Amino acid sequence: MRVVVLMGGRSEEREISLKTGEAVLRAIRELGHEAIPLDLEENLCQKLLEIKPDKVFIALHGTYGEDGRVQGLLDILGIPYTGSGVLGSCLAMDKDITKKILTFHRIPVPAGICVHRGETFEWHSFPAVVKPADQGSSVGLFLVKDHDELENAVREVLSLSHKVLIEEYIIGRDITVGILKGEALPPVEIKPKKGIYDYESKYTKGMSDYVFLEDEKLIKKLQDIALMVHKYLELKDISRIDFRLSEDGVAYVLEANTIPGMTELSLFPMMCKKKGIEFKEMIHMLLS
């Protein structure tokens, strides 16, 4: 099989995408396939038509990779690819739209407001979480304690995105659940040493601890919700659903990731391994 691995891109997550792409390239080659790396460049269409791949493995995180744009391009070119299609990618990339869909289906999400660039807003509950509506890898994530910090955070986030989410801060535990080919993986609790799971905590070795859950009832509850989120957002092949579990046991969905990271510190390969699925096998399943 000839596989193009799309990696790098133009988003804030470019460096992580390159690491994901390198890991995927190695695995595809070890599986005996031809693997060709491609960055998101202006001559991408021409290169794809010249290479004529059997499949494209999308390892682009963030804008262009996870928001449905490159999926639409590949659909037009008639080239099969891994992961969710245009609709699912669009829905999951926009956390504001994700929240509206999940609220409709009565799945708990943090209370909050969405502010577009140029709009005025009111918010009086602190601490609060401020984040872009359409970025991944916790890029632009802030925990603010007062109005001054809130205004500064909103200003900074709006330099990254055209709209920002302001949400209640839920005291509790960060837990994530992966979905691979319609099956939920073992949930992992994330324990960031600085208190908030931001970009630094995600990608700096030693900044977070990861613990697999043992409570079977809680595991089943989170896996069931994750599968529902995967279904309601029209996702396919692979996703990772992030939760905040409150002190009183309510599982709030924070977001859905359609192209989880595949670096040495990434959670998705960790969950697969716990399930008995090695990295190469996971890549083989996504290419099948």
Side-chain angles (χ1 to χ4, degrees):
M1 183 184 290
R2 176 177 290 183
V3 182
V4 160
V5 178
L6 273 179
M7 53 197 282
R10 306 170 187 170
S11 78
E12 298 290 328
E13 301 173 73
R14 175 178 174 80
E15 294 306 313
I16 304 305
S17 172
L18 289 171
K19 291 181 180 180
T20 287
E22 289 297 334
V24 171
L25 279 168
R26 285 194 300 270
I28 292 173
R29 287 166 180 163
E30 288 172 8
L31 287 166
H33 303 301
E34 181 184 1
I36 303 163
L38 273 187
D39 208 327
L40 192 68
E41 299 172 347
E42 289 183 2
N43 60 350
L44 177 62
C45 287
Q46 180 183 342
K47 285 189 174 182
L48 287 169
L49 291 171
E50 290 173 356
I51 295 168
K52 297 179 181 177
D54 298 299
K55 199 158 198 176
V56 169
F57 193 109
I58 303 176
L60 290 169
H61 301 313
T63 309
Y64 296 104
E66 284 185 90
D67 58 8
R69 297 190 215 188
V70 79
Q71 289 80 3
L73 171 64
L74 293 170
D75 283 341
I76 291 170
L77 295 178
I79 301 173
Y81 52 88
T82 58
S84 297
V86 175
L87 178 60
S89 300
C90 289
L91 296 177
M93 186 66 181
D94 191 317
K95 298 178 184 69
D96 175 41
I97 301 301
T98 292
K99 288 180 68 171
K100 288 182 168 85
I101 292 170
L102 299 186
T103 299
F104 175 82
H105 288 286
R106 299 183 180 179
I107 293 177
V109 296
I113 60 173
C114 180
V115 181
H116 290 74
R117 192 174 291 157
E119 288 182 344
T120 58
F121 65 91
E122 287 190 15
W123 184 267
H124 305 289
S125 177
F126 295 96
V129 174
V130 180
K131 59 187 179 184
D134 57 358
Q135 296 287 330
S137 288
S138 298
V139 171
L141 176 67
F142 294 91
L143 179 61
V144 299
K145 300 187 294 292
D146 54 42
H147 281 286
D148 287 341
E149 288 188 3
L150 174 63
E151 289 181 5
N152 289 334
V154 168
R155 191 179 306 113
E156 187 160 342
V157 171
L158 286 175
S159 70
L160 299 172
S161 172
H162 69 287
K163 60 180 180 178
V164 56
L165 289 177
I166 305 171
E167 296 178 336
E168 62 175 331
Y169 175 71
I170 297 163
I171 299 173
R173 302 155 64 190
D174 287 308
I175 301 173
T176 190
V177 180
I179 306 292
L180 178 63
K181 291 290 186 176
E183 186 172 353
L185 300 172
V188 177
E189 181 174 357
I190 304 155
K191 297 184 175 182
K193 293 182 179 177
K194 64 188 290 188
I196 185 169
Y197 196 49
D198 58 7
Y199 188 93
E200 182 185 17
S201 297
K202 278 188 177 183
Y203 298 116
T204 306
K205 201 165 187 176
M207 288 293 290
S208 297
D209 294 323
Y210 305 101
V211 181
F212 285 97
L213 302 187
E214 297 182 356
D215 184 332
E216 292 297 330
K217 187 175 179 181
L218 177 58
I219 290 172
K220 177 73 163 52
K221 173 183 175 180
L222 293 173
Q223 288 179 328
D224 286 348
I225 297 173
L227 285 166
M228 284 191 285
V229 173
H230 187 88
K231 174 185 175 182
Y232 294 147
L233 294 178
E234 301 278 350
L235 306 185
K236 181 175 173 285
D237 286 348
I238 182 173
S239 69
R240 199 192 75 233
I241 314 302
D242 295 342
F243 292 89
R244 185 77 167 171
L245 185 68
S246 70
E247 291 180 317
D248 57 356
V250 178
Y252 293 90
V253 174
L254 300 179
E255 64 177 295
N257 304 274
T258 55
I259 304 179
M262 303 289 180
T263 71
E264 62 173 332
L265 298 178
S266 295
L267 293 163
F268 198 89
M270 191 187 304
M271 289 184 277
C272 286
K273 190 170 184 178
K274 179 70 172 179
K275 182 77 174 175
I277 304 170
E278 294 298 326
F279 193 88
K280 278 196 298 185
E281 184 183 354
M282 173 190 68
I283 299 301
H284 173 72
M285 293 172 69
L286 291 171
L287 290 175
S288 297

